[in-house]
Amino acid sequence: MLSRYPMLNLLWAGMIIAGVFFAAFTGQIPEVTKAALDSSKEAVTLCITISGVMAFWTGMMEIAQEAGMIRKLSAKLLPFLHFLFPELPSSHKAIPHISTNIIANILGLGWAATPAGLNAMQALSDLEKERRSGKAPGPVLPPGTASKEMCNFLILNISSLQLIPVNIIAYRSQYGSVNPAAITGAGILATSASTLTAILYCKYKNHHPY
C-alpha cells in the first residue's frame, strides 16, 4: 500500500519531520508528545462515534431497501439517468447500482454508497466487454479504456449531492458543536453547485470529447 502512493507518503513524512524539527528548535517537544497522545485518544473516540452513526444510517438504508422505497426512488431517477447516460440500456444491470449509489449519496450515506458504486463500475466494465463482443450496442473502446458512462458516473459520484451531510454533522457533534446540523443548508447549496457543475461538464465533454 505504501509503495502505491510514493508522493503522498513523501508529503506526509515531510510534514511530520518538519513539525518535529520545528518543535525541537523552539523547545516544544513536550507539546508535540502531548498532542500525539491526545490526537490518538480523539481518533479512537471519533471512530466510535462515526461507527454508531454509520450503523444507524446504514440500517435505515437496509430497511428502506427491504420496504421497496429504494426501488420506487430508482424508478423516479430513470429519466435523469437516461439524460446522463443516453447510451446505457435502460434495462442494464448497472442501472439499479447507479440509482442506489446516487440515493445513498443524497442521504449522506457514503458508506452505503461505496459498495453500490463498485458494483456499478463492475457492471459498466461488463458492458464494455459486451460491446466488444457485439452483444450490446454502443461505441467499442480498446481494453482498459474508461467509457463515457464510467467517467460520467465517477464525476457524478465525486460531486455527491447531499441533503443530509451525516459525516460533517457527526464530526461537529463529536467536537462539541451547539447545533451540529446547522451546516445542512450550506452543505445542500455547496453540493448542489458541485453536482450541477459535474452534470454540465459531463454533457459538454460527451459532445466535445477533444
Side-chain angles (χ1 to χ4, degrees):
M1 179 62 71
L2 293 178
S3 61
R4 291 177 60 186
Y5 307 101
M7 185 57 67
L8 188 60
N9 296 332
L10 291 175
L11 177 62
W12 279 108
M15 292 171 62
I16 293 172
I17 293 172
V20 171
F21 272 107
F22 180 80
F25 280 113
T26 56
Q28 300 182 39
I29 287 294
E31 284 77 3
V32 172
T33 304
K34 182 177 182 299
L37 295 175
D38 291 344
S39 297
S40 301
K41 177 183 176 181
E42 288 184 10
V44 173
T45 305
L46 183 60
C47 284
I48 295 173
T49 302
I50 293 295
S51 296
V53 175
M54 177 180 67
F56 173 76
W57 284 105
T58 304
M60 293 294 289
M61 189 73 176
E62 288 294 325
I63 292 173
Q65 191 165 2
E66 291 295 327
M69 293 177 62
I70 301 299
R71 185 176 64 255
K72 293 179 180 178
L73 290 173
S74 298
K76 298 290 185 182
L77 283 175
L78 280 178
F80 170 73
L81 295 180
H82 180 69
F83 169 75
L84 195 62
F85 307 98
E87 297 177 357
L88 181 63
S90 57
S91 59
H92 195 267
K93 61 182 179 180
I95 293 292
H97 299 307
I98 294 175
S99 300
T100 302
N101 176 269
I102 292 174
I103 293 169
N105 274 326
I106 289 176
L107 297 177
L109 308 178
W111 315 285
T114 300
L118 294 175
N119 289 333
M121 276 297 188
Q122 182 60 55
L124 293 175
S125 177
D126 293 340
L127 175 61
E128 289 308 300
K129 295 178 182 178
E130 294 170 6
R131 285 172 173 170
R132 284 195 292 272
S133 63
K135 297 179 180 179
V140 178
L141 301 174
T145 303
S147 65
K148 288 192 294 186
E149 289 86 1
M150 288 180 175
C151 295
N152 289 354
F153 175 66
L154 180 61
I155 294 172
L156 183 66
N157 187 66
I158 292 172
S159 66
S160 185
L161 170 65
Q162 289 189 7
L163 299 181
I164 308 173
V166 176
N167 286 350
I168 301 301
I169 291 175
Y171 293 147
R172 287 167 59 84
S173 176
Q174 172 65 28
Y175 290 106
S177 173
V178 178
N179 186 8
I183 195 67
T184 302
I188 292 174
L189 290 176
T191 55
S192 296
S194 65
T195 301
L196 178 60
T197 302
I199 293 173
L200 293 175
Y201 176 79
C202 288
K203 299 306 291 184
Y204 175 80
K205 292 301 292 183
N206 288 346
H207 289 87
H208 304 84
Y210 300 108

